[in-house]
Amino acid sequence: MITKNLFLQGIFPFEGRGLEKPALIHSELSHYVPDGVINQTLYFRGGNSCSELITVVLMRDGAPMRYFPIGAKGDVHVPLRVVEDIEGGSVIELHLLAPEGVKGSVVVDLGMVEH
């Protein structure tokens, strides 16, 4: 079995749209799992430059899978102990929840493996 490591990562500016409205952070933070492949997310690291709590949301086919809150001007590292199989044909995206009008930058690093 061939294993491939994948990462959704980067530093992206944002403007909050509200805590109930997850918005795609950037098109670079979207991944289509190829048919016949199993994807597993292994960890999330994130940083927040603004003075408000924000939340990065791992989405699968438009539905929330995991929430990663990041404190004001803070950071987080979450090794995922419960790893779920994400079947081929799924779309994985990182969205953001932030208070409306709040501006800042978010640092994200989502580590995944596909086999």
Side-chain angles (χ1 to χ4, degrees), residues 36-104:
V37 171
I38 300 293
N39 177 296
Q40 295 176 324
T41 56
L42 302 178
Y43 71 84
F44 173 82
R45 291 187 193 118
N48 171 19
S49 73
C50 79
S51 59
E52 298 285 338
L53 172 79
I54 65 170
T55 301
V56 174
V57 184
L58 174 62
M59 306 287 278
R60 175 184 181 180
D61 297 327
M65 265 186 79
R66 297 275 191 279
Y67 291 85
F68 304 107
I70 307 172
K73 297 188 184 228
D75 61 86
V76 66
H77 172 79
V78 181
L80 298 173
R81 300 290 184 220
V82 176
V83 178
E84 298 174 71
D85 289 347
I86 300 172
E87 302 289 333
S90 298
V91 176
I92 299 167
E93 297 175 322
L94 290 176
H95 287 221
L96 183 87
L97 294 169
E100 191 167 342
V102 168
K103 294 181 182 181

Side-chain angles (χ1 to χ4, degrees), residues 11-15 47-50 54 74 96 103-108:
I11 302 171
F12 302 93
F14 69 86
E15 181 171 348
N48 171 19
S49 73
C50 79
I54 65 170
L96 183 87
K103 294 181 182 181
S105 293
V106 62
V107 179
V108 295

